[in-house]
Amino acid sequence: MTTFQSRVFSGVQPTGNLHLGNYLGAISRFVPLQDQMESIYCVVDLHAITVWQDPAELTRATREVTAAYLAAGIDPKKAIIFNQSQVREHAELAWIFNCVARMGWLKRMTQFKDKAGKHAENASVGLFAYPNLMAADILAYRATHVPVGDDQKQHLELTRDIAQKFNNDFDEQIKELGLGVPNPEPSHESPEEIFFPLTEPMIAGPATRIMSLRDGNKKMSKSDPSDLSRINLTDDADTIAKKIKKAKTDPDALPSEVDGLEGRAEADNLVGIYAALSGKSKADVLSEFGGQQFSAFKPALSELAVEKLAPMNGEMTRLMNDAAAIDTVLKDGAERASAIAEPVLHDVRRIVGFLEARRS
Ligand code: TYM
């Protein structure tokens, strides 16, 4: 190999309550990429169990994320869709990365601090090591591009750090075994030939961080106890309209320019949602709605959200009634994913020095 093949990898946790943030920040952006590069979209069930999951609900939610991928327009003939636990290489590489990453790196992860809260001692070891598994997801395919929302930025920086440390630590073996690829960004810290690429995060557009509809300073999240805080991908038209009607705003009219959104978190969020759903910029949205009250903007937003999300909701419901068809997609995807990850792990074992004795 003379260069890394361009390859997209991303994942969504099957932890219920898939919402508009997941759709606009991630899933909707996966769709056009399938026509540009080899794309691998994973349902990360191993990540989900870092906090307790009811087993039956985990199975259902795994199918539901798959249904969302398909309903959003990901074509399983073009992209690879599978659930993480069906491809053993993720867990194996994660263990090796547990031994590459440093405690200090993981202790700095803000998402662990947020999720573990005041009771870090009671958090699972898996929750702490979560970012190492994420690095393994990406690097088991030597993926070069990762589309995600803004909240995953720190994890992707860690992925680059892990790749870099592995490339450095095993520099000699990589060269000796002839498994290196010329480093596109060589530096004094980074050898000339590397095994793992330094992955590009793709965090772009008006929807990298969709906020709660009840509090413009909090991220829209699956775990918010208030269902009014988020638009779920399973919400019907009436529910979507009701939630937008009840969304928190301020008393002023919308500004005509983007600068005027500063300090107005809720207004900024709703304009961002409109922009992302319509494929326009915030500036375009404000040139249309600047000077108007929320009483006029909200119905327009509602109509747009229903127009975009209701067909997806219908398709998800249809797909969820055919579990066997979903499982077939996941099985086929897992086979194709394994065909890429297996040879990578074979090389990793040789690089690390694991003895592969032949068993008769
Ligand atoms: P998860 O399941 O929390 O979220 C899935 C995707 O949705 C994005 N997202 C948002 N985007 C905009 N606004 C929001 N309010 C919002 N909330 C969530 C997330 O950034 C993510 O892109 N660790 C990941 C899953 C993962 C992964 C990976 C991603 C596991 N391995 C490898 C990429 C590559 C997560 O918990 O996503």
Side-chain angles (χ1 to χ4, degrees):
M1 214 189 323
T2 52
T3 179
F4 290 106
Q5 180 186 336
S6 293
R7 188 176 275 151
V8 177
F9 183 96
S10 198
V12 174
Q13 292 195 72
T15 42
N17 295 337
L18 272 181
H19 55 70
L20 186 64
N22 300 131
Y23 177 66
L24 294 177
I27 300 172
S28 68
R29 298 175 51 228
F30 299 170
V31 182
L33 286 169
Q34 68 185 341
D35 293 315
Q36 295 163 27
M37 295 178 223
E38 182 174 30
S39 300
I40 306 174
Y41 299 124
C42 188
V43 185
V44 292
D45 47 9
L46 298 175
H47 276 109
I49 63 161
T50 56
V51 298
W52 168 251
Q53 302 297 325
D54 174 76
E57 173 55 23
L58 179 65
T59 307
R60 195 201 63 79
T62 300
R63 293 196 180 111
E64 188 172 81
V65 174
T66 312
Y69 282 170
L70 297 171
I74 300 173
D75 177 351
K77 290 199 190 71
K78 291 184 191 160
I80 297 177
I81 300 177
F82 73 106
N83 58 314
Q84 195 183 22
S85 60
Q86 293 207 72
V87 178
R88 309 267 176 268
E89 283 71 18
H90 292 247
E92 183 180 349
L93 189 57
W95 177 259
I96 294 171
F97 287 167
N98 283 345
C99 304
V100 173
R102 306 289 93 183
M103 290 288 285
W105 299 0
L106 292 173
K107 279 189 180 157
R108 286 195 285 275
M109 294 294 115
T110 54
Q111 216 163 64
F112 174 75
K113 291 185 210 167
D114 291 348
K115 283 196 182 168
K118 293 192 188 89
H119 307 289
E121 295 296 314
N122 288 335
S124 72
V125 176
L127 190 66
F128 186 68
Y130 181 113
N132 296 344
L133 176 59
M134 196 164 147
D137 296 341
I138 297 165
L139 296 174
Y141 304 92
R142 297 166 109 187
T144 50
H145 293 78
V146 183
V148 282
D150 178 68
D151 59 349
Q152 298 301 316
K153 191 166 180 235
Q154 199 186 26
H155 289 158
L156 294 188
E157 282 162 7
L158 187 92
T159 300
R160 286 172 71 97
D161 290 343
I162 290 176
Q164 187 140 26
K165 184 158 163 41
F166 184 96
N167 290 336
N168 280 337
D169 288 354
F170 296 102
D171 181 20
E172 270 175 39
Q173 289 80 354
I174 292 170
K175 254 206 217 111
E176 224 171 83
L177 294 166
L179 295 172
V181 172
N183 185 353
E185 317 169 32
S187 70
H188 62 284
E189 288 161 20
S190 200
E192 271 167 28
E193 279 186 27
I194 55 179
F195 182 75
F196 285 125
L198 302 182
T199 303
E200 269 315 306
M202 302 176 89
I203 304 173
T208 55
R209 195 174 182 80
I210 299 290
M211 307 309 277
S212 155
L213 298 181
R214 305 303 296 163
D215 178 350
N217 296 305
K218 255 173 58 185
K219 199 179 63 167
M220 185 178 283
S221 118
K222 293 173 188 161
S223 56
D224 194 314
S226 165
D227 197 52
L228 286 175
S229 71
R230 67 182 158 261
I231 293 175
N232 298 305
L233 297 189
T234 48
D235 284 344
D236 61 21
D238 288 348
T239 313
I240 295 172
K242 183 183 89 186
K243 287 179 176 175
I244 291 176
K245 199 166 174 202
K246 292 203 167 175
K248 191 175 162 203
T249 49
D250 56 40
D252 297 333
L254 282 171
S256 305
E257 316 244 320
V258 176
D259 287 354
L261 291 170
E262 206 158 304
R264 297 181 64 188
E266 284 83 12
D268 190 11
N269 189 37
L270 294 185
V271 170
I273 293 174
Y274 192 102
L277 283 171
S278 60
K280 293 182 182 161
S281 67
K282 285 187 194 176
D284 287 341
V285 176
L286 291 178
S287 69
E288 191 180 340
F289 290 97
Q292 295 197 29
Q293 297 294 333
F294 283 103
S295 53
F297 180 64
K298 279 182 167 182
L301 177 58
S302 240
E303 198 181 316
L304 176 66
V306 169
E307 180 195 317
K308 297 283 172 187
L309 300 176
M312 220 180 109
N313 173 322
E315 182 62 2
M316 277 175 75
T317 311
R318 191 189 68 76
L319 290 163
M320 286 299 279
N321 285 325
D322 191 354
I326 292 183
D327 296 359
T328 303
V329 167
L330 293 174
K331 179 169 173 282
D332 170 64
E335 280 164 11
R336 287 153 65 201
S338 296
I340 303 172
E342 269 171 18
V344 174
L345 261 287
H346 175 74
D347 289 345
V348 169
R349 284 185 214 112
R350 291 174 67 205
I351 291 169
V352 172
F354 290 151
L355 179 71
E356 277 192 279
R358 290 198 182 280
R359 280 175 284 186
S360 53

